[in-house]
């Protein structure tokens, strides 16, 4: 558990062990977490849930708000990742972010805007949180939110699908050679 991060692979065996001990992990308490692991166990246990099993999903929903301790603001960002599409998990992540200062919110604004992409609906806890905080502080948080969204929209409109007809392999086709230049390639404009 100490080395398990959001980027680490969790094997089927590890998932089984995590799920088996979910109740113990949910009640470790802040002192044990800080002394041994250093971060919330919730994101790791959530990675062990079989989201197609309704019984497991219902059980994890009951455990979410009783988790001791609740995830830190940084750990809560993991709950907004693409691997957690469940709206209750994402709502808990947003709830944990409520205590962020305006400066912290501005610091993580890019990541939060990216997390909006993983929302299933436009009316989500994350969207409402960002809009509410932006409207409360329009010159600081609002400006960061606006320009982050603007940059994201601009970036999305600039992405073009690759054109297979202009691939490198097609640059030197037969009709691009000039017999006058001993079959040397023409300059492509």
């Amino acid at each position: 558990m100490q080395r398990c991060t959001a980027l680490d692979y969790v094997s089927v065996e590890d998932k089984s062990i995590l799920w088996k001990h979910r109740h113990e992990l949910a009640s470790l308490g802040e002192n044990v977490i800080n002394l041994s692991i250093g971060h919330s166990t919730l994101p790791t246990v959530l990675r062990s849930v079989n989201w197609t099993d309704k019984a497991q999903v219902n059980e994890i929903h009951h455990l979410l708000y009783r988790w001791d301790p609740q995830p830190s603001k940084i750990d809560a960002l993991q709950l907004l990742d693409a691997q957690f599409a469940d709206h209750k998990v994402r709502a808990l992540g947003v709830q944990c972010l409520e205590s962020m200062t305006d400066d912290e919110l501005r610091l993580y604004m890019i990541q939060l805007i990216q997390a909006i992409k993983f929302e299933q609906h436009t009316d989500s806890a994350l969207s409402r949180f960002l809009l509410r905080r932006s409207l409360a502080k329009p010159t600081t948080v609002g400006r960061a939110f606006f320009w982050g969204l603007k940059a994201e929209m601009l970036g999305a409109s600039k992405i073009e699908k690759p054109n297979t007809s202009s691939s490198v392999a097609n640059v030197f086709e037969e009709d691009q050679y000039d017999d006058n230049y001993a079959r040397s390639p023409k300059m492509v404009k």
Side-chain angles (χ1 to χ4, degrees):
M1 281 296 285
Q2 286 178 310
R3 293 173 296 205
C4 190
T5 68
L7 300 176
D8 291 331
Y9 172 75
V10 180
S11 70
V12 174
E13 182 181 326
D14 290 340
K15 287 181 181 183
S16 175
I17 292 169
L18 285 165
W19 185 251
K20 180 179 177 183
H21 296 286
R22 65 194 174 278
H23 294 284
E24 293 89 1
L25 291 169
S27 60
L28 283 176
E30 190 168 358
N31 292 335
V32 173
I33 296 291
N34 289 336
L35 291 174
S36 62
I37 300 170
H39 58 83
S40 175
T41 56
L42 180 59
T44 307
V45 171
L46 287 172
R47 291 171 61 193
S48 73
V49 175
N50 177 358
W51 294 100
T52 61
D53 183 342
K54 192 166 180 76
Q56 282 191 21
V57 173
N58 287 335
E59 185 166 350
I60 204 68
H61 284 167
H62 285 85
L63 282 175
L64 279 178
Y65 293 93
R66 294 191 317 227
W67 209 269
D68 182 30
Q70 288 290 296
S72 69
K73 294 176 250 187
I74 303 303
D75 288 334
L77 289 172
Q78 291 181 50
L79 303 182
L80 302 174
D81 190 59
Q83 62 186 324
F84 302 123
D86 185 83
H87 70 279
K88 289 187 179 183
V89 171
R90 297 180 72 78
L92 176 62
V94 171
Q95 180 183 322
C96 294
L97 298 178
E98 289 287 347
S99 63
M100 275 189 166
T101 66
D102 292 339
D103 288 336
E104 288 174 318
L105 189 56
R106 286 177 45 219
L107 180 66
Y108 293 106
M109 188 61 74
I110 294 171
Q111 289 88 343
L112 294 170
I113 289 171
Q114 290 294 316
I116 291 173
K117 292 179 182 181
F118 308 125
E119 295 293 336
Q120 294 181 353
H121 306 284
T122 54
D123 185 14
S124 67
L126 179 58
S127 298
R128 286 175 178 254
F129 168 72
L130 291 172
L131 284 170
R132 183 174 28 80
R133 293 289 296 268
S134 295
L135 292 171
K137 298 286 182 148
T139 57
T140 54
V141 177
R143 185 171 285 146
F145 184 52
F146 172 80
W147 287 110
L149 285 175
K150 186 81 169 170
E152 188 63 34
M153 290 170 46
L154 181 64
S157 69
K158 295 290 183 186
I159 296 174
E160 296 178 16
K161 294 181 180 178
N163 184 355
T164 56
S165 65
S166 65
S167 67
V168 175
N170 294 331
V171 170
F172 297 106
E173 291 182 5
E174 285 298 317
D175 62 335
Q176 293 181 355
Y177 286 94
D178 187 349
D179 290 331
N180 295 334
Y181 293 102
R183 309 242 341 128
S184 63
K186 288 183 180 179
M187 294 293 287
V188 179
K189 293 182 182 179

